[in-house]
Amino acid sequence: MRRFFSILLCISMIICMAGCTGTRATEPANNNVYVIGFSQVGSESDWRVANTKSMTAAFADDPDYELVMENARQEQENQFTAIRRFILEGVDFIIIAPTVEEGWETILAEIKEANIPVIIMDRSVAVEDESLFLTNIGSDFLHQGNLAVKWLEGEIPADKQAKILHLQGTIGATAQIMRTKALEDAVTQHSNWEITGQLYGDFTEAKAYEVMTEYLKTNKDIDVLYSENDNMTFGAMRALNEAGISYGNGGQVKIITFDATKEALQYCHDGKINLCVECNPLFGPRVKELIEKYRNGEEIPKHVYVDESAYTTQNITQDFVDSRAY
Ligand code: GYE
């Protein structure tokens, strides 16, 4: 009799599991709370910290949701571990901010197999099968790079040479690939532009300071610094200060930076940074809206871009800097 009941129990568990998998995508698996596993890149920059805050704040006061965030400390392997745990725990939804573009097919297939919907946020993934994710919300990084290039075209007369020092973010991340592409393409089109050095700063202030300090020991002939994020720019500015090289409006080096965080905008307003290209990290409310649309069975676009512009000393006011939310 006992055996009969355990067999019955097993059968009902199997039926329940099958049923649960079928409905999990839109209905919470447990306690009426919709659990979201969020694999975040790291905390490498002010941009990232603002992004994490925006994501957690969007779900924090809503009892219908629980956001479980795992910080990958900029390692894709850590993302795989976190995501596999999310699958095991049976979360209702997964959000991934991918460190780099390549290498996502297998893990995305595992998530699909578990019938869990996925949003790719911020950077992109390079996969052929776009059915592996619901949508990709982020910036148009090539557009950002092109905004910088356009501004530089207006700054460098055709008969003047421009020696450009290029500080690169995490190699293989969409933000790095596209910002680099815009610059490299532009250099091939301007015979008077030259990239005199490409330094790897990994999107962090500490790394940028280290590589810049080393570089400046033997190379001081720089007209433009093209830095792929604000924190690397801050590190580079420190190294330039120590090397006694002037920068900003009227200085030797024109500085181009990406993100346009409050601190960078303040430097720009004060004439220390020449161009801030905006990259908005405040995705939280939009990601939540997309998840709700999905749960309501509404159509959501495959790619969602945010609107962004560029700022110079000439087009920002102190009020604008003060009102900056990140
Ligand atoms: O520019 C940088 C961050 O992927 C847009 O990553 C993001 C970039 C951002 O660490 O500051």
Side-chain angles (χ1 to χ4, degrees):
M1 197 58 170
R2 219 188 189 161
R3 194 143 171 249
F4 172 74
F5 274 121
S6 26
I7 292 170
L8 208 67
L9 188 70
C10 279
I11 294 172
S12 51
M13 273 171 74
I14 290 166
I15 293 170
C16 169
M17 275 166 72
C20 292
T21 346
T23 54
R24 183 166 48 195
T26 53
E27 295 295 324
N30 302 302
N31 306 327
N32 287 330
V33 175
Y34 198 77
V35 181
I36 302 171
F38 170 33
S39 173
Q40 175 63 298
V41 168
S43 34
E44 73 283 2
S45 65
D46 296 343
W47 187 100
R48 188 67 55 195
V49 172
N51 176 250
T52 299
K53 270 196 197 146
S54 168
M55 290 293 290
T56 43
F59 297 96
D61 297 327
D62 191 336
D64 292 342
Y65 288 97
E66 185 189 341
L67 184 81
V68 183
M69 195 193 87
E70 285 290 341
N71 181 329
R73 300 186 307 282
Q74 286 189 276
E75 295 294 337
Q76 190 182 35
E77 272 304 317
N78 292 340
Q79 299 205 280
F80 294 163
T81 308
I83 292 165
R84 291 200 170 107
R85 239 203 37 234
F86 293 151
I87 296 174
L88 274 177
E89 286 168 358
V91 299
D92 300 294
F93 204 99
I94 291 179
I95 300 170
I96 305 172
T99 47
V100 290
E101 284 194 353
E102 298 292 334
W104 290 96
E105 272 90 354
T106 308
I107 196 93
L108 288 177
E110 287 172 36
I111 300 172
K112 191 175 183 184
E113 182 72 24
N115 199 24
I116 303 172
V118 189
I119 283 183
I120 307 293
M121 191 199 68
D122 162 26
R123 305 171 183 172
S124 314
V125 290
V127 292
E128 275 193 7
D129 178 5
E130 291 215 324
S131 77
L132 289 173
F133 57 87
L134 274 181
T135 182
N136 183 182
I137 171 167
S139 297
D140 184 343
F141 297 113
L142 188 60
H143 172 68
Q144 292 177 358
N146 287 333
L147 285 176
V149 161
K150 226 179 166 164
W151 175 83
L152 196 56
E153 280 169 350
E155 290 290 306
I156 310 284
D159 59 344
K160 252 198 98 195
Q161 206 61 23
K163 294 200 166 77
I164 306 169
L165 180 60
H166 181 192
L167 254 178
Q168 293 182 292
T170 308
I171 302 298
T174 317
Q176 176 276 317
I177 296 173
M178 292 304 176
R179 290 168 185 168
T180 292
K181 179 175 164 45
L183 177 66
E184 288 179 343
D185 286 354
V187 166
T188 63
Q189 281 154 28
H190 297 80
S191 56
N192 56 329
W193 293 16
E194 186 194 350
I195 298 178
T196 46
Q198 275 182 322
L199 308 179
Y200 178 57
D202 205 15
F203 285 129
T204 71
E205 189 164 335
K207 184 80 190 150
Y209 171 71
E210 180 192 314
V211 294
M212 274 298 281
T213 303
E214 203 45 43
Y215 182 84
L216 294 174
K217 283 182 186 161
T218 47
N219 310 273
K220 290 194 166 59
D221 193 8
I222 308 161
D223 302 310
V224 179
L225 175 70
Y226 183 96
S227 166
E228 290 178 357
N229 87 340
D230 286 351
N231 288 84
M232 293 196 297
T233 305
F234 304 151
M237 284 162 66
R238 212 155 27 104
L240 287 166
N241 287 341
E242 288 171 13
I245 299 171
S246 63
Y247 53 84
N249 296 342
Q252 176 192 320
V253 184
K254 292 182 198 304
I255 298 187
I256 296 172
T257 189
F258 291 85
D259 285 352
T261 55
K262 191 175 194 152
E263 191 176 351
L265 285 177
Q266 187 64 61
Y267 280 124
C268 182
H269 184 261
D270 298 345
K272 289 293 181 192
I273 289 178
N274 300 72
L275 182 77
C276 284
V277 181
E278 184 173 45
C279 184
N280 189 340
L282 308 179
F283 289 136
R286 300 183 75 168
V287 168
K288 187 175 182 200
E289 200 182 297
L290 287 169
I291 293 177
E292 290 190 331
K293 277 197 169 157
Y294 165 76
R295 294 182 69 190
N296 291 332
E298 290 171 44
E299 274 284 309
I300 53 177
K302 205 77 209 179
H303 294 273
V304 181
Y305 291 118
V306 291
D307 280 342
E308 287 155 341
S309 26
Y311 304 99
T312 64
T313 313
Q314 285 74 39
N315 68 9
I316 46 170
T317 61
Q318 187 60 49
D319 281 351
F320 176 74
V321 178
D322 293 342
S323 66
R324 192 62 155 181
Y326 63 95

